[in-house]
Amino acid sequence: MKNIAVTADSSGVMVATLDMPGRPFNVFSEAMMADLAALIELIEKAVAAGQPPAGLVITSGKSSFVAGADLAMIQDFGAMRFSATWQEMRDRYSYLGKLFRRLEKLPVPTVAAVNGLALGGGLELAMACHGRVCIDAPYVQLGLPEVLLGLLPGAGGTQRLPRYVGLELSTKMLLDGKPLSAAQAKASGLVDRLASAENLVATASEMVLSMSAGARWDSPEYRMATDVAVATTDTGFRHWACQVAGISDRDAKLYPAVDAIINCLVGGYTKPIDAACDVEWDIFVDLMSNPVSSNMVTSCFLSKTAATKQSLVGLPAVSAPTSFALLGDLDLGKNPFKKMARQAEADFYIAAASGDDGRADLLVHQLGSAPSGTGAKPVLRLVNNFARSEVVELAAAESAESNARAMAVLQRSAKAIVLSRSAQSVNEVLLTAMRAAHANAGVSAQNFYTQCEAVGLESLARIAIDDLAVPAQNTQVPNKELGLPLLLGLSVAVYDWLTSQLSDDDSANDVLLAGVDLLAIYGVGFPKWTGGPLSCLSMFQRGELAYSGSQELIAQLQWQFKNELGYKLSAA
């Protein structure tokens, strides 16, 4: 096994250490799943031969336990909707969950020794063990953040978590994606013991030797809480669940993962665990058949993690500046750059920049000339809300070395970086298009805002329009179709701008294409469910974004988008 090392201690306890070579974190890839299957088979054969280990401890050789699933693999899962049958998808998607169930049913006491992050599939693995020991440290987090990427925990997570921590806490964790600390996990019943880093594996081994094998719900004596069984049959459960997690009725409609997770709770928790997992896996297939999941995995994770790497292509290696100075009243937040000291006279100067219309919130970052009295030291011009940005845009300078030095500074911020060679930002395009749509809407202010609200465009509208009339909250969630003409119109404006920016430089084009959706989402709040303007148009082109309104609009949009680049984006 390349990803799992197996040893045995003096008491006969087997210790399986997960440690994927060449990766900073352990994740559940196809290779890791194959090795986990090999580990389970090793123990099953030992049991069949009458020589079982005294117990099994699963831990990690990295600074964290398991960070979740390999999201490149999850992206491939989403692409299966174009070619695979429902059953083929179900067989593939449920494989990890079936492995965890085999692990859980081993007649050998099994304990997870959690030494750091245990997120997504990592926590699902820990919950499939018969016990959990966790390092008592502030950097430890245990959670199921799949909903933030349009997914659900599809390896038994929606069924095991509520059986450990109860309905209310599990519903909140599943729907808001927020993790627990080690102390919170212990208090909730998710973790059995806390230990120091030095004694983690030893504590887990002691626990293995003092416990019986098997999950609590596989015992004939197991009974679920009756109040839970009653609650999950209540017609108001969905509303209650969204209230617990702080999710609006509108977002519950736009983001299908919310309803999918609630359906897993309603349909599975009152059933025996095997039947409950079947419910989860069926729902997971339906969710992965929805383009929103693929959109969010791509734009909210894969593109974000790849942006900086793509932007560095072709730039020379440079020594990173060690100090920076802020010009004017710019506030980047506390400690914006790691290992860079803030000084009055520094290697790098950072100033706020405004767009052509005088606004300072366009999220355009420009490399300019040195300020007076600083010689040839470069200046990075940033907007004043840098502290709240997850993704930053750097407008390229003519010099590759200047770009490299600016990138070196921004890399110290731990944010995703898009190096843009366009004189205009996609965010400027979106803001301009939103203002034009508002001016030409021909409807009441309340009607226009309702269109925005229907598809999640209100954040963009608030940034774009200074005097935007925000009505009292609607008592009913507007139908998504009401806002689709506006959403698609904005997306076409971005698309038209994009086609004018492409050059003969394939590398620059790749960065531009990858960055458009990313910057739109994290720059001015284009709705995440769409995956960004280009992904939104791709959905429309493939017929995955249903619209039964104006046939004239449909024909116009299809004509505008029907060209070589459009098909390239659609197939990506």
Side-chain angles (χ1 to χ4, degrees):
M1 294 181 286
K2 293 182 179 179
N3 301 288
I4 303 176
V6 177
T7 59
D9 64 19
S10 58
S11 59
V13 173
M14 180 183 291
V15 178
T17 303
L18 282 57
D19 196 351
M20 298 184 78
R23 293 222 190 191
F25 300 100
N26 291 318
V27 295
F28 276 109
S29 63
E30 304 277 8
M32 177 62 86
M33 288 191 287
D35 282 357
L36 179 61
L39 173 67
I40 294 170
E41 289 166 7
L42 180 68
I43 296 174
E44 288 173 338
K45 289 179 180 179
V47 170
Q51 299 176 325
L56 171 65
V57 171
I58 299 178
T59 190
S60 168
K62 299 188 183 296
S63 60
S64 61
F65 186 62
V66 181
D70 182 348
L71 288 178
M73 179 183 71
I74 298 297
Q75 186 184 42
D76 186 47
F77 282 8
M80 288 183 71
R81 71 185 189 276
F82 299 122
S83 58
T85 65
W86 187 93
Q87 189 60 51
E88 288 170 337
M89 290 190 288
R90 213 265 195 187
D91 291 343
R92 188 177 181 194
Y93 300 165
S94 64
Y95 180 67
L96 182 59
K98 291 175 180 177
L99 277 182
F100 288 164
R101 188 66 180 128
R102 283 175 61 193
L103 175 70
E104 188 171 60
K105 293 168 76 172
L106 286 175
V108 172
T110 304
V111 170
V114 178
N115 62 319
L117 296 176
L119 301 175
L123 180 55
E124 289 183 293
L125 168 63
M127 290 193 294
C129 294
H130 307 145
R132 283 146 299 285
V133 178
C134 186
I135 290 179
D136 188 6
Y139 57 82
V140 173
Q141 294 184 337
L142 301 95
L144 297 171
E146 283 87 347
V147 69
L148 303 178
L149 296 176
L151 304 170
L152 64 81
T158 66
Q159 303 308 315
R160 291 188 180 92
L161 185 64
R163 285 166 169 79
Y164 280 123
V165 305
L167 184 64
E168 184 168 351
L169 178 56
S170 63
T171 298
K172 183 179 185 302
M173 290 177 65
L174 287 163
L175 291 180
D176 70 15
K178 295 178 181 177
L180 299 180
S181 67
Q184 290 170 328
K186 175 65 168 62
S188 71
L190 183 58
V191 166
D192 300 292
R193 297 185 191 180
L194 299 179
S196 66
E198 296 77 13
N199 295 323
L200 175 66
V201 174
T203 302
S205 295
E206 291 173 6
M207 184 176 175
V208 158
L209 295 173
S210 65
M211 66 187 294
S212 300
R216 63 185 68 172
W217 37 83
D218 284 328
S219 168
E221 290 78 30
Y222 177 75
R223 297 290 184 273
M224 81 177 82
T226 55
D227 60 327
V228 171
V230 171
T232 54
T233 59
D234 190 330
T235 56
F237 180 77
R238 280 174 170 75
H239 180 68
W240 173 84
C242 288
Q243 280 191 321
V244 165
I247 295 174
S248 68
D249 291 339
R250 193 283 311 275
D251 283 351
K253 286 192 173 183
L254 289 181
Y255 294 88
V258 172
D259 206 43
I261 289 170
I262 292 173
N263 286 339
C264 288
L265 292 170
V266 171
Y269 192 66
T270 58
K271 292 180 170 63
I273 191 68
D274 288 310
C277 286
D278 278 334
V279 169
E280 178 188 271
W281 298 335
D282 287 348
I283 293 171
F284 188 62
V285 175
D286 294 338
L287 180 62
M288 290 304 300
S289 299
N290 191 308
V292 171
S293 296
S294 292
N295 288 344
M296 292 182 66
V297 167
T298 299
S299 296
C300 300
F301 184 83
L302 295 174
S303 293
K304 190 159 65 167
T305 56
T308 303
K309 184 177 180 180
Q310 288 176 315
S311 295
L312 288 169
V313 172
L315 297 184
V318 296
S319 298
T322 59
S323 61
F324 71 96
L326 300 182
L327 301 182
D329 59 356
L330 183 64
D331 180 10
L332 300 188
K334 186 178 180 181
N335 301 322
F337 305 109
K338 296 178 181 179
K339 298 180 181 179
M340 283 187 70
R342 180 178 175 180
Q343 300 174 355
E345 291 292 325
D347 296 331
F348 219 95
Y349 290 80
I350 303 172
S354 298
D356 293 337
D357 59 357
R359 299 178 67 90
D361 55 6
L362 294 180
L363 297 180
V364 181
H365 308 272
Q366 297 176 324
L367 191 66
S369 59
S372 175
T374 63
K377 294 174 182 176
V379 172
L380 185 63
R381 299 193 183 279
L382 302 171
V383 298
N384 58 4
N385 56 0
F386 172 83
R388 298 196 303 272
S389 304
E390 294 182 49
V391 179
V392 295
E393 182 179 6
L394 170 65
E398 292 185 7
S399 164
E401 183 175 354
S402 295
N403 290 331
R405 293 199 71 199
M407 288 290 296
V409 173
L410 288 177
Q411 282 182 275
R412 295 287 177 87
S413 71
K415 299 174 186 287
I417 312 161
V418 176
L419 177 63
S420 172
R421 290 175 171 81
S422 170
Q424 189 180 32
S425 169
V426 62
N427 293 324
E428 292 178 278
V429 175
L430 278 168
L431 292 171
T432 300
M434 176 60 86
R435 292 176 194 131
H438 179 252
N440 300 323
V443 297
S444 68
Q446 180 167 351
N447 184 285
F448 182 79
Y449 190 84
T450 300
Q451 291 178 29
C452 294
E453 191 179 27
V455 289
L457 281 168
E458 61 267 37
S459 294
L460 174 57
R462 287 194 183 100
I463 295 173
I465 305 164
D466 289 323
D467 58 347
L468 178 69
V470 180
Q473 185 174 0
N474 290 323
T475 55
Q476 291 186 336
V477 180
N479 189 299
K480 184 168 68 175
E481 283 203 0
L482 183 65
L484 285 183
L486 175 60
L487 181 73
L488 291 167
L490 295 174
S491 299
V492 167
V494 170
Y495 173 73
D496 288 342
W497 165 80
L498 175 67
T499 58
S500 71
Q501 301 299 310
L502 297 177
S503 67
D504 294 332
D505 185 340
D506 289 339
S507 177
N509 290 341
D510 288 343
V511 173
L512 178 62
L513 287 169
V516 165
D517 282 347
L518 191 63
L519 291 171
I521 288 172
Y522 290 98
V524 288
F526 202 84
K528 290 181 179 179
W529 70 268
T530 67
L534 301 184
S535 294
C536 181
L537 288 176
S538 294
M539 272 199 297
F540 180 76
Q541 187 189 38
R542 292 192 300 259
E544 293 180 315
L545 189 57
Y547 178 61
S548 59
S550 166
Q551 294 302 306
E552 181 180 350
L553 174 66
I554 293 172
Q556 177 188 2
L557 289 173
Q558 287 178 335
W559 179 83
Q560 285 184 272
F561 194 56
K562 201 170 189 178
N563 59 49
E564 183 178 352
L565 178 62
Y567 284 116
K568 176 183 177 183
L569 291 171
S570 178

